[in-house]
Amino acid sequence: MTIEYDLHSHSVASDGTLTPAGLVQQAHAAGVQVLALTDHDTTDGISAASVTADELGLQLVPGVEVSVSWQSMTVHILGLNIDPHCAALQTGLQRLQGVRDWRAMEIGRRLDKAGIPGAFDGASALTRGRIVSRTHFARFLVEQGHAQSLREVFKRYLVPGKPGYVSGEWAGLEEGLDWIRQAGGLAVIAHPARYRMTASKLRRLIGEFRELGGAGIEVVSGSHTRDNITSMAALARTGNLLASRGSDYHGPENPWVKLGHMAELPAGCTPVWESEAWPAH
Ligand code: AMP
Ligand code: MN
Ligand code: MN
Ligand code: MN
């Protein structure tokens, strides 16, 4: 019997649209048996998610998706099986939340200059937790009719070179990995094929990540194509890293990404849940 793992998902604690309880209910209904809640830079949803998971008999993996700056790029590192009560982790996440607050004001200011007033207040009003993300700005801009879809609004306003893009000073790679290690978690590079890095740069990131104690990379992701999966599986094998699998689900509004029901990890990968450091062992 194979177990359905989904090791990457979001709730309203960051930029998802389901409450932690609602997310766990949906995952259970979709046949997911092991779900990681990995909100951006916060663990606020974990206790509520755990309560519902216990009621339904689903295994909830406490997680977080840490924003990291590496060589002038933003990289997302998942911490899986973290202890949310770890002080070093929480101090670090609080700092990133502060960067997010500052960045949100700056995004609002720049959009205002570009002729779109009220975006800071509008995006803030759409948050349901501590985290304000570009996704909240994107939803506000779509609501206001500045674009038809989130995809379009990101492309026109919220990516490097566009009026509402502000780069944040996130955690250093070493620092982010240290918080995850101190919290007893395993570190996994999220959606490695999404960074628009050259192959050599991505190999450099993976090499450095492994040197610093990183455990694995997400081979199967909701945002990876079949070709991405094949090449990320090869990178995991040659880089001697474990392989993870997660949907990066943000809610039912995006019909392209479902909880669970992803491709299997390709043969030759070692799943992160078979690692010695995974709690079931
Ligand atoms: P932030 O961490 O605040 O910079 O926001 C990043 C988040 O924006 C990601 O986690 C995605 O949820 C979302 N995102 C990034 N690019 C896109 C896109 N092209 N279309 C829709 N959502 C996106
Ligand atoms: Mn997100
Ligand atoms: Mn991400
Ligand atoms: Mn994510």
Side-chain angles (χ1 to χ4, degrees), residues 8 10 40 65 248 250:
H8 187 161
H10 296 272
H40 299 284
E65 183 171 12
D248 204 1
H250 282 70

Side-chain angles (χ1 to χ4, degrees), residues 22-131:
L23 173 75
V24 171
Q25 280 159 4
Q26 293 279 309
H28 182 255
V32 174
Q33 290 155 291
V34 183
L35 175 75
L37 176 60
T38 53
D39 276 309
H40 299 284
D41 306 324
T42 181
T43 60
D44 289 351
I46 289 173
S47 62
S50 300
V51 170
T52 306
D54 285 349
E55 283 166 10
L56 296 173
L58 178 146
Q59 193 191 327
L60 196 275
V61 173
V64 65
E65 183 171 12
V66 179
S67 304
V68 160
S69 297
W70 183 77
Q71 301 206 345
S72 332
M73 304 185 81
T74 299
V75 172
H76 288 171
I77 306 291
L78 300 171
L80 300 176
N81 287 304
I82 45 135
D83 169 11
H85 303 294
C86 169
L89 174 67
Q90 291 303 337
T91 305
L93 295 182
Q94 274 160 26
R95 193 181 94 212
L96 299 187
Q97 290 161 15
V99 175
R100 283 183 171 279
D101 292 343
W102 168 84
R103 184 188 63 158
M105 301 244 286
E106 194 60 22
I107 291 175
R109 207 176 59 78
R110 296 208 196 169
L111 286 173
D112 189 61
K113 267 171 66 184
I116 301 175
F120 174 78
D121 288 341
S124 300
L126 294 174
T127 63
R128 291 164 70 187
R130 174 69 184 80
I131 293 295

Side-chain angles (χ1 to χ4, degrees), residues 195-204:
Y195 297 120
R196 295 167 186 269
M197 281 182 201
T198 60
S200 64
K201 191 153 188 189
L202 184 54
R203 276 197 300 272
R204 216 172 326 134

Side-chain angles (χ1 to χ4, degrees), residues 4 12 20 98 103 105 111 119 131 137 141 144 153 159 174 187 197 204 207 216 222 225 231:
E4 183 72 30
V12 292
R103 184 188 63 158
M105 301 244 286
L111 286 173
I131 293 295
F137 280 92
L141 291 172
Q144 296 292 305
V153 95
V159 293
E174 183 166 10
M197 281 182 201
R204 216 172 326 134
T225 63
S231 48

